[in-house]
Amino acid sequence: MLSFSELKRQLSPALHELGLREQEIDLYAHTSLLGPTTVTVLADQLGLSASNVYKLIDRLESVGLTQFSTQKGYHRKL
């Protein structure tokens, strides 16, 4: 399995071409490694507030790279 650093290094060129910023690329790489996970876990991994993670998720959703699960409620997974 790839490390976070190696995965990010491999993904960065293509994600930069899509116009993503570093924090968005970090989020995408973490979700790729972790699989379905909560915003709380992602916030802890990235050292960001949950509200900032939601903003990053919105950006990834807008370019079609991710989406929340169809599960409703507080603990939806990305």
Side-chain angles (χ1 to χ4, degrees):
M1 178 177 215
L2 292 175
S3 69
F4 170 77
S5 298
E6 181 62 21
L7 180 62
K8 183 179 174 183
R9 186 188 66 74
Q10 290 182 12
L11 291 173
S12 286
L15 296 175
H16 278 295
E17 284 184 34
L18 290 173
L20 296 184
R21 297 179 307 251
E22 287 303 311
Q23 285 185 330
E24 295 160 346
I25 292 170
D26 287 348
L27 174 61
Y28 187 77
H30 276 290
T31 58
S32 296
L33 288 173
L34 295 172
T37 192
T38 64
V39 169
T40 302
V41 169
L42 291 170
D44 288 344
Q45 290 283 318
L46 295 166
L48 299 171
S49 68
S51 61
N52 283 336
V53 172
Y54 277 109
K55 290 174 188 174
L56 297 174
I57 291 168
D58 285 343
R59 174 72 173 124
L60 294 180
E61 285 182 322
S62 74
V63 295
L65 290 176
T66 193
Q67 67 182 32
F68 273 109
S69 68
T70 56
Q71 174 187 350
K72 301 291 182 196
Y74 183 71
H75 294 288
R76 292 187 312 161
K77 293 186 176 183
L78 178 68

